Amino acid sequence: MSKVKISGFISRLKDYHHGTRGKTRRTLMLTYSNVAVHAPKEQLLSRVEADITGNVLHHYRTSCQTLLIAVLHFVSWGLGITVTNKDMHLKLTLIQNVTEISCAILETRDSQKF
């Protein structure tokens, strides 16, 4: 395979990753943090770890792996292509999620125990 074909394929993968699929996952992540902010404070602590944060991290990890899984197929063919996840929108979304969830936890009465 020529380098032109490979670089074109990698470019299309990046476009797809940053397109609709990536936006959908980032939107889901923001939805979960928004749920934490607007949840009843007495019910938040029982749900934040498994239900809210767990789902945010699941969508983050899945978004990170989408591009890398396709590239690993090339690496297994011996082409030696490496791609790192430099999606700043995804990283900023994760930071925003952590900030919003942390603020929601701090507003509860039992935040010190948590």
Side-chain angles (χ1 to χ4, degrees), residues 32 35 43-44 46-57:
Y32 280 108
V35 166
Q43 296 177 4
L44 177 64
S46 65
R47 299 284 186 166
V48 74
E49 192 170 354
D51 296 333
I52 297 173
T53 309
N55 285 318
V56 167
L57 293 175

Side-chain angles (χ1 to χ4, degrees), residues 6 15 18-19 26 31 33 35 39-40 42 47 51 54 56-57 65 74 79 99 108:
I6 294 170
D15 290 343
H18 294 301
R26 289 193 305 267
T31 301
S33 66
V35 166
E42 58 275 357
R47 299 284 186 166
D51 296 333
V56 167
L57 293 175
Q65 293 172 356
F74 282 123
L79 297 175
T99 303
T108 64

